[in-house]
Amino acid sequence: MNMMNTKIERVNPEQIDETIMEEAGRLIAEGELVAFPTETVYGLGGDALHPEAARKIYAAKGRPSDNPLIVHIADFSDIERVAREVPEAARKLAGAFWPGPLTMIVWKSAVPMATTGGMDTVAVRMPNHPVALDLIRKSGCLIAAPSANTSGRPSPTEASHVAEDLSGRIAMILDGGPVGIGIESTIIDLTESKPMVLRPGYITPQMLSEVLGEEVIIDPGIIAADDTRKPKAPGMKYKHYAPKADMVIVDGPSDAVVSKINALVHQKQENGQKVAVIATEESGPSYHADVILSMGSRLDEDAIAQHLYRILRECDELHVDAIYSESFQTPRIGQAIMNRLLKAAGHTVIHCD
Ligand code: AMP
Ligand code: MG
């Protein structure tokens, strides 16, 4: 692909620079790509109704073309521009969670196949970030935006991660500082007979079910560790978020996990390998490894989500050969965190007791 000069602009979310945002909006309207912060991860934006812009997104990321893009909107009424009809459930969920980290799948109307990866449905989200909302409004477009990483790498939670992956491939990066949540939106499919979560995230099935007043099921395809069931969201089948080194999760009571990981690290080091351990503030000092990376306090699950992708990227930068990670089955968003961590580890888990 043709390389270009990528402009990086710092934007303070509390005091948005109008001139920069007008330029960014114009670039989107002209069919160019702009990466921008959202509350979940950084997105790579292009005009959702412009097939050429959608194609540029796939090319810049090296994303498989069957993996559809999420359409970002700034006002609820915009959903009518892409949905064949707006289900009552979408109104209820939007009332409770938009703007916010929830993506809804509905039957689509006039959205180009290039944006929806050939599907008859469309994914829609209203992000809760002043820079994202301002960019959508200034562009006058609906913005198709997947995570702004090279396909297969961890999603970007800081503008420097975007620059690492996409410099020279996109017109502009809006740097709004580190994101708040750190893992991608929850995806709920409203085209099935029962609402179904296709990707776990910050908004849990319980929260969705309380608002809808009905049961919300979880796509069996995302829980299976093997290929026997295909996930319904095409993107969930790819080996995502993976650091370059081999990664193994060790699960069990904390003392047993520490002994097991220390033994495994020792073996690798005997063979001359450089090893990282992904731990917490509490457990970190108990490990003996080349690098110990802390996800924050085990009691603070929001911090764990926030640090996850940066830590996976750090493993690449540190050129470690092996990574051992603790397991993070925390009460609320543990399912979302473990979904990403298990993929990063290619579902390799050692259980100990
Ligand atoms: P990303 O924006 O990189 O977080 O990826 C978007 C995710 O949404 C991918 O896993 C897609 O497969 C999924 N997705 C987008 N549109 C649809 C759709 N119409 N039906 C099912 N999954 C979708
Ligand atoms: Mg992604």
Side-chain angles (χ1 to χ4, degrees), residues 36-43 125 147-148 155-157 179 182-184 309:
F36 60 97
T38 80
E39 80 280 32
T40 58
V41 300
Y42 272 77
R125 172 167 114 84
S147 50
S155 295
T157 55
V179 299
I183 51 177
E184 304 84 348
Y309 286 139

Side-chain angles (χ1 to χ4, degrees), residues 95 156 267 305:
Q267 270 175 19

Side-chain angles (χ1 to χ4, degrees), residues 63 147 149 155 240:
R63 182 175 175 104
S147 50
N149 51 294
S155 295
H240 249 125

